Amino acid sequence: MTVRIVTDSTSGIDRSMAEDLGISIIPQSVHFGANAFEDGVTITPDEFYEMLSASADLPRTSQASPGRFKDVYEELGRDADGIVSIHISSRLSGTWNSALLGASKSSSSCPIEVIDSRQASMGLGLVVLAAADAARRGADLEEVIVRARSVARRAQCMCLFETLGYLQKGGRIGRAQALMGSALKIKPMIIVRDGEVHPLGRSRTFARALSNLKEAAREFAPIESLAVSHSTTPEIAREVASDLNDMLPEGGKAYIARLGPALGVYAGPGAIEISLIQAEE
């Protein structure tokens, strides 16, 4: 049985890795004024952050249309026994709804399961990677769906920002609004819970905040997988991954990922994120 995996570009999965694993990534769009770019296709992260720093106005994002999803499902459905499409939390984006509409309009004869991960970035990406691994091992459609939903329930994603200003201006701040009172003086941390952004804490220095973020991640041990993402500071991401690698099962290694344009609009430069999957009890 061939089960194909689909996700969107907020997942943070590198496109070369996705190609190796047979994952189809549907790009979000980023708009600087009248100019629209496809995340990871017509604009790279480096190009995006350079434009973000130079822009007087915050760019906006938009999810792929139902028609885009429909076309991808129909193409994949030609030689698939089933499709599992896993996306960013429906409370943070309209992507899941676009995917549902695309599936309902698709003429593909194979079944399509659209899953709301209730997560974002590599909190979503780790779910997608687990589903892709199950599919590569020969799991049938129902087994891949069960695996994806199980991993999604155990996913955690937490992030440290230089400022919450980008998240607030982008309208995705959710319950973390409570951190805004002294946002200019502190380094805020958030966590994705129940598909929404919640406050995790704040510190007066980046170094202290980073230490607190790692401590928060350790509270979820034992874990089965781990990813550290960054917007513009790969060296810090590598240090965090090295510090936390002992949390993984023997032989495991943390993923180093990039916060691409679709999420960089809200994270801004200097952000560090830790995502993980708690081990099954």
Side-chain angles (χ1 to χ4, degrees), residues 173-272:
I173 196 165
R175 297 177 186 273
Q177 182 69 45
L179 290 173
M180 286 301 299
S182 55
L184 295 177
K185 301 178 182 178
I186 55 97
K187 302 303 177 186
M189 294 173 287
I190 61 94
I191 187 168
V192 179
R193 289 196 182 114
D194 300 319
E196 291 185 297
V197 172
H198 288 252
L200 181 62
R202 50 184 158 188
S203 299
R204 291 199 174 275
T205 68
F206 190 89
R208 183 57 190 162
L210 191 61
S211 177
N212 289 342
L213 190 72
K214 290 185 285 187
E215 289 175 10
R218 287 192 175 278
E219 292 179 4
F220 292 106
I223 66 173
E224 65 180 50
S225 58
L226 173 72
V228 181
S229 305
H230 70 95
S231 56
T232 56
T233 51
E235 67 286 351
I236 295 178
R238 287 191 290 267
E239 289 174 7
V240 172
S242 177
D243 289 345
L244 297 180
N245 212 63
D246 63 287
M247 294 177 65
L248 288 163
E250 187 175 354
K253 187 177 180 180
Y255 295 97
I256 304 295
R258 188 82 186 268
L259 292 165
L263 290 180
V265 169
Y266 309 106
I272 291 289

Side-chain angles (χ1 to χ4, degrees), residues 9-248:
S9 61
T10 66
S11 63
I13 298 173
D14 180 78
R15 286 186 176 272
S16 61
M17 176 187 288
E19 186 174 345
D20 290 342
L21 297 175
I23 300 167
S24 296
I25 299 178
I26 298 180
Q28 307 282 65
S29 293
V30 178
H31 305 261
F32 282 90
N35 298 313
F37 303 90
E38 288 194 338
D39 183 1
V41 178
T42 60
I43 187 170
T44 67
D46 285 341
E47 291 168 338
F48 166 77
Y49 286 108
E50 184 176 346
M51 292 176 67
L52 181 67
S53 297
S55 177
D57 299 314
L58 188 73
R60 59 185 179 86
T61 61
S62 60
Q63 71 265 15
S65 69
R68 184 71 172 268
F69 282 97
K70 172 182 175 292
D71 291 344
V72 171
Y73 295 150
E74 289 178 349
E75 180 180 353
L76 294 177
R78 295 191 187 108
D79 59 0
D81 299 299
I83 297 170
V84 180
S85 196
I86 312 168
H87 299 286
I88 185 174
S89 170
S90 61
R91 294 183 176 183
L92 297 175
S93 168
T95 304
W96 176 76
N97 191 54
S98 277
L100 276 181
L101 290 172
S104 70
K105 296 176 182 296
S106 172
S107 61
S108 175
S109 60
C110 77
I112 303 169
E113 182 77 9
V114 180
I115 295 176
D116 180 354
S117 72
R118 295 283 182 149
Q119 273 296 334
S121 192
M122 282 302 294
L124 160 63
L126 292 175
V127 177
V128 174
L129 292 174
D133 180 66
R136 291 187 77 189
R137 292 173 182 271
D140 63 24
L141 178 62
E142 187 58 33
E143 289 170 333
V144 174
I145 292 170
V146 169
R147 173 66 173 156
R149 293 193 181 280
S150 170
V151 175
R153 284 192 294 269
R154 294 180 278 117
Q156 302 290 340
C157 177
M158 58 208 82
C159 193
L160 163 61
F161 299 105
E162 280 286 354
T163 172
L164 283 178
Y166 292 97
L167 196 66
Q168 183 189 39
K169 291 176 183 177
R172 300 296 194 274
I173 196 165
R175 297 177 186 273
Q177 182 69 45
L179 290 173
M180 286 301 299
S182 55
L184 295 177
K185 301 178 182 178
I186 55 97
K187 302 303 177 186
M189 294 173 287
I190 61 94
I191 187 168
V192 179
R193 289 196 182 114
D194 300 319
E196 291 185 297
V197 172
H198 288 252
L200 181 62
R202 50 184 158 188
S203 299
R204 291 199 174 275
T205 68
F206 190 89
R208 183 57 190 162
L210 191 61
S211 177
N212 289 342
L213 190 72
K214 290 185 285 187
E215 289 175 10
R218 287 192 175 278
E219 292 179 4
F220 292 106
I223 66 173
E224 65 180 50
S225 58
L226 173 72
V228 181
S229 305
H230 70 95
S231 56
T232 56
T233 51
E235 67 286 351
I236 295 178
R238 287 191 290 267
E239 289 174 7
V240 172
S242 177
D243 289 345
L244 297 180
N245 212 63
D246 63 287
M247 294 177 65
L248 288 163

